[in-house]
Amino acid sequence: MPFVEFIAGWISGAVGLAIGHPMDTVKVRLQTQSTYKGIFDCVVRTYRHEGAHKSWRGPHKGIENPQNISQFHGFFKGMAFPVFSVAVSNSVIFGSYSNALDYLTQSQHREHDQGNKAPLWAVLTAGCFSGGIQVLVMAPVDLVKVRLQNQTASRSVAGGAKYRSPMHCMAVIFREDRARGLFRGAFALALRDIPCYGLYFLPYEFTCRMLTEKGKQSSTYAILMAGGIAGIVSWACATPMDVVKARLQMSGTGGREYSGTLHCITASLKEEGIRVFFKGLLLNSVRAFPVNAVTFLSYETLIRSMTCFAQD
């Protein structure tokens, strides 16, 4: 996998993660917990109960300033692990996609950027391939992220928080369920990612071509629009299986238990109706446009800059 793809994927993924993680936390909780009335209720309760509040004491002992300095700690739960692993994740996604596309078209990334466009069937196939590789690498990381995002108890409360950190979470899962436990929900993750990464790169390439004059490089506007549209399209298709995946990953942690993907689908449908599979769709769509627009712009800019630097 090219070193350039690794660096570009790492940085662009980290930027996108920082922008989208708070909304991702709210989305995961809405999908896996029935205690929230809606998006606003989830945001307010997370802010009230899990923000790290610090009080400033005035010159008179025992008197606190009513204005507290609040931090949004609850919205960034589970982010530390993905930040460090995003280098691997995004390099796998973009690197495997780029290499698969090169193999299918027998050309290089720079040739695609200079006007020798790959056929759309190759773009779709390479995207699906990158989704499959991504599942193999990132399934345990996604499991840890979801577990930490759903942990609402504070570590300061005795017996409150089950997981102290991402590594502790992984150790606990391994101790309880061995290596198999780290891949809980992996089949649902594969059903989500393999087709949806195909539907991630396909609209990106198509939109870029529509907004770019023949023979020229895509402009910043074209990349931003194409990235945002790609994010919305892929998440619109991914949300139903994303709900199933998140529920399977939380199965056996004290709430509803599912024996497998099919059981989760049928049980959720029977208990909550068809609407359950679209929980988090609005948040996914709102989050998808800016996150993926910035991710693709960062990636394309870095690839062009590092390629030019390497050629000089």
Side-chain angles (χ1 to χ4, degrees):
M1 197 171 293
F3 181 71
V4 169
E5 304 282 352
F6 179 85
I7 297 298
W10 178 16
I11 297 174
S12 62
V15 171
L17 181 69
I19 294 173
H21 196 81
M23 285 185 281
D24 185 61
T25 297
V26 176
K27 180 264 297 183
V28 167
R29 292 186 177 187
L30 287 171
Q31 290 177 338
T32 58
Q33 302 178 34
S34 58
T35 57
Y36 302 108
K37 298 175 182 177
I39 295 173
F40 184 73
D41 180 51
C42 183
V43 170
V44 170
R45 289 171 63 178
T46 300
Y47 177 78
R48 284 179 178 174
H49 300 301
E50 299 173 61
H53 297 285
K54 297 180 181 179
S55 298
W56 177 80
R57 291 184 177 275
H60 301 288
K61 188 176 181 179
I63 300 177
E64 294 186 353
N65 190 315
Q67 294 181 339
N68 290 331
I69 302 174
S70 300
Q71 298 176 346
F72 298 91
H73 171 72
F75 296 101
F76 290 92
K77 282 188 172 180
M79 182 175 169
F81 202 27
V83 162
F84 289 108
S85 62
V86 77
V88 178
S89 172
N90 261 50
S91 65
V92 166
I93 293 168
F94 285 98
S96 58
Y97 166 75
S98 181
N99 282 296
L101 194 60
D102 290 347
Y103 176 79
L104 291 170
T105 60
Q106 298 299 307
S107 59
Q108 299 297 316
H109 180 90
R110 62 177 178 273
E111 295 178 44
H112 302 155
D113 200 40
Q114 291 171 355
N116 185 17
K117 302 299 183 183
L120 293 179
W121 68 264
V123 172
L124 178 64
T125 304
C128 291
F129 174 77
S130 71
I133 301 298
Q134 138 92 0
V135 171
L136 295 176
V137 176
M138 296 304 296
V141 175
D142 191 69
L143 173 66
V144 170
K145 177 184 75 72
V146 169
R147 290 282 179 94
L148 290 174
Q149 285 176 319
N150 274 288
Q151 184 168 259
T152 57
S154 172
R155 281 184 289 179
S156 61
V157 179
K162 182 177 181 179
Y163 310 116
R164 296 192 298 269
S165 67
M167 293 309 297
H168 180 251
C169 178
M170 184 172 282
V172 170
I173 294 171
F174 184 80
R175 185 173 65 246
E176 293 177 347
D177 301 318
R178 312 309 298 173
R180 184 181 178 184
L182 294 173
F183 288 87
R184 185 184 293 271
F187 181 65
L189 182 64
L191 292 177
R192 185 196 74 174
D193 281 0
I194 292 175
C196 290
Y197 270 108
L199 294 174
Y200 181 58
F201 289 103
L202 182 62
Y204 172 75
E205 285 289 337
F206 181 78
T207 307
C208 266
R209 295 178 191 185
M210 293 297 101
L211 298 176
T212 304
E213 292 184 32
K214 190 174 182 180
K216 293 187 177 181
Q217 285 190 339
S218 299
S219 64
T220 298
Y221 170 76
I223 294 172
L224 285 171
M225 289 300 297
I229 291 171
I232 292 176
V233 171
S234 62
W235 270 112
C237 299
T239 297
M241 196 51 63
D242 189 51
V243 173
V244 176
K245 183 267 306 180
R247 293 188 169 205
L248 285 169
Q249 289 173 327
M250 290 304 297
S251 178
T253 59
R256 184 74 161 84
E257 292 195 24
Y258 304 100
S259 59
T261 303
L262 183 60
H263 176 237
C264 181
I265 293 173
T266 55
S268 297
L269 181 62
K270 183 178 180 181
E271 293 169 6
E272 301 176 60
I274 193 69
R275 291 181 61 186
V276 68
F277 298 112
F278 297 95
K279 279 189 173 183
L281 177 59
L282 177 60
L283 270 176
N284 276 337
S285 300
V286 171
R287 177 175 66 104
F289 194 96
V291 168
N292 291 283
V294 170
T295 297
F296 268 108
L297 180 62
S298 302
Y299 177 78
E300 294 287 1
T301 302
L302 287 164
I303 284 289
R304 292 174 184 178
S305 300
M306 287 187 283
T307 302
C308 291
F309 179 78
Q311 291 174 346
D312 291 341

